[in-house]
Amino acid sequence: MVGIDIGFGDVKAVTDEVRIKFPTAVAYAKKGIADIGEEEEYEFLGRKYFLGERALFSLDVFPTREVEFLLKYAPLLLYRSLKWLDSPTPAEQIAIGLPLAYHHRRFEFEKVIRRVIVNGEILEHQRVEVFPQGVGILLDYRLNHEGEELEETRENLLILDIGFNTVDVVVAEKGRAIRDECGMLERAGVSRICQELSSYLQRETTINLTEQEAKDVLLERKLKVYGQEKELSETIRTLTENYMDWIFQNLKSRWGERLKRVDRLIIAGGGAYYVGEYLPEIYEAQTLIPELPEFANARGFLKGMKLKIRQEAKE
């Protein structure tokens, strides 16, 4: 059984024993005459691809902001995840997620995940459950490792799932998600900071970074230029503080009353690493950032699958 979160920035996958993460990067496998050694290639739908870190260095790396990218290449990224998890056999049960606004396409997504063909190898999965992203964070908070409910988590919650491209917002009353109040801020993820950082670096150094490369610079807070490290902490602090102000202005405009009264504000997703320390002081008392927040959705999907299986066994 595998829980997997294919985000626009990174792929995160977990089992009960192992977790992995790699960039959501796909590029056609092209080699130049100076290439040394064998690169790992993946054949899918009649073409060969580089994935993850190797694809980042390609000039042809695909943009990853559209749901159509996920629907087409999720099987390829799932295949690599399962191989990296080093399972001797294909996972029979896959718990996976889609952004909230695209969850209505879950049956289409389930179909492409159920039967995966890569490198001529066929992986058929007996069961695929597609959860809304953000709800995975709720499940991670509310369930224990075995998928059992934690009574003390029946709280009023606002969950902020900050991804690379989107921010999913989940509202829960007494621990249960309220479908009509959940929503998504599109083009609101940390890619906004990456774009501004890339523009700044292009002006200052004439270096053009991809968004994925800018994401690494955002985390490291420095960049080597002609062999010298350029310190970027203050620039990144300003960009991130502005971003957080913008995020919370959007939250207050749509979920202002909820934000005031919830027992807990949970901030997770990969973006939590970048923005956690820039949280406005007024929200600090009610905020929880879970351990390894970028894996919270994947963990929650896995726990949610266990809960479903447990409930079905009782019926």
Side-chain angles (χ1 to χ4, degrees), residues 268-314:
Y273 271 129
Y274 303 100
V275 304
E277 66 183 274
Y278 303 103
L279 182 73
E281 186 176 353
I282 191 174
Y283 304 111
E284 287 181 356
Q286 65 188 148
T287 298
L288 169 70
I289 297 178
E291 183 179 1
L292 298 173
E294 79 273 37
F295 288 97
N297 267 311
R299 290 193 305 256
F301 299 155
L302 185 61
K303 293 177 181 179
M305 175 78 88
K306 292 178 180 179
L307 175 63
K308 283 179 176 285
I309 293 172
R310 183 184 301 279
Q311 291 172 335
E312 291 167 1
K314 292 179 181 180

Side-chain angles (χ1 to χ4, degrees), residues 9-247:
D10 292 292
V11 178
K12 289 79 62 177
V14 299
T15 66
D16 285 336
E17 297 84 21
V18 185
R19 64 176 181 269
I20 62 167
K21 172 184 171 182
F22 61 90
T24 305
V26 179
Y28 291 129
K30 298 179 181 179
K31 291 188 177 181
I33 59 173
D35 285 348
I36 299 173
E38 293 297 322
E39 299 289 352
E40 192 172 18
E41 297 179 355
Y42 298 84
E43 186 174 350
F44 177 64
L45 298 177
R47 297 292 300 263
K48 290 185 177 180
Y49 299 90
F50 292 136
L51 301 180
E53 294 83 357
R54 175 61 181 85
L56 289 179
F57 295 100
S58 172
L59 296 176
D60 300 317
V61 62
F62 300 166
T64 61
R65 291 191 180 193
E66 303 296 334
V67 69
E68 301 304 330
F69 172 88
L70 295 181
L71 291 169
K72 182 172 182 178
Y73 293 108
L76 183 58
L77 296 164
L78 172 64
Y79 177 90
R80 191 202 196 200
S81 299
L82 294 177
K83 294 302 178 183
W84 274 33
L85 288 168
D86 201 26
S87 175
T89 58
E92 294 184 351
Q93 298 164 324
I94 303 293
I96 198 165
L98 273 177
L100 273 169
Y102 308 130
H103 193 247
H104 64 283
R105 302 183 69 174
R106 61 191 179 278
F107 300 113
E108 181 182 355
F109 194 52
E110 177 187 335
K111 184 178 179 180
V112 300
I113 293 298
R114 188 173 292 277
R115 189 172 189 267
V116 174
I117 305 175
V118 178
N119 291 341
E121 184 178 359
I122 300 174
L123 304 184
E124 295 193 81
H125 307 113
Q126 294 181 5
R127 178 167 182 167
V128 176
E129 292 285 345
V130 182
F131 296 87
Q133 289 174 0
V135 171
I137 296 168
L138 174 63
L139 293 169
D140 183 48
Y141 178 67
R142 295 228 52 228
L143 304 176
N144 67 14
H145 186 69
E146 301 302 322
E148 300 167 327
E149 181 183 1
L150 299 168
E151 293 286 339
E152 65 272 21
T153 64
R154 290 188 178 184
E155 300 169 301
N156 296 327
L157 306 167
L158 187 68
I159 295 169
L160 200 57
D161 179 10
I162 302 179
F164 185 67
N165 188 35
T166 62
V167 174
D168 291 315
V169 181
V170 174
V171 176
E173 278 190 0
K174 297 183 178 179
R176 298 182 66 87
I178 305 174
R179 182 191 299 266
D180 292 342
E181 292 197 35
C182 297
M184 186 177 85
L185 304 177
E186 196 163 7
R187 312 289 190 192
V190 294
S191 61
R192 291 181 68 95
I193 311 175
C194 292
Q195 285 178 318
E196 293 192 29
L197 180 59
S198 295
S199 296
Y200 168 81
L201 289 172
Q202 204 282 328
R203 292 192 306 270
E204 295 293 316
T205 68
T206 69
I207 292 176
N208 291 309
L209 298 180
T210 66
E211 287 186 347
Q212 288 279 2
E213 289 173 323
K215 180 163 63 72
D216 291 337
V217 175
L218 185 62
L219 187 60
E220 296 293 329
R221 304 185 188 186
K222 56 190 177 183
L223 175 69
K224 276 194 174 182
V225 182
Y226 295 118
Q228 299 294 318
E229 283 192 349
K230 182 176 178 62
E231 177 60 44
L232 297 167
S233 295
E234 287 306 311
T235 297
I236 288 172
R237 173 178 294 279
T238 299
L239 293 177
T240 308
E241 287 177 345
N242 291 342
Y243 169 77
M244 289 299 284
D245 287 342
W246 179 83
I247 283 289

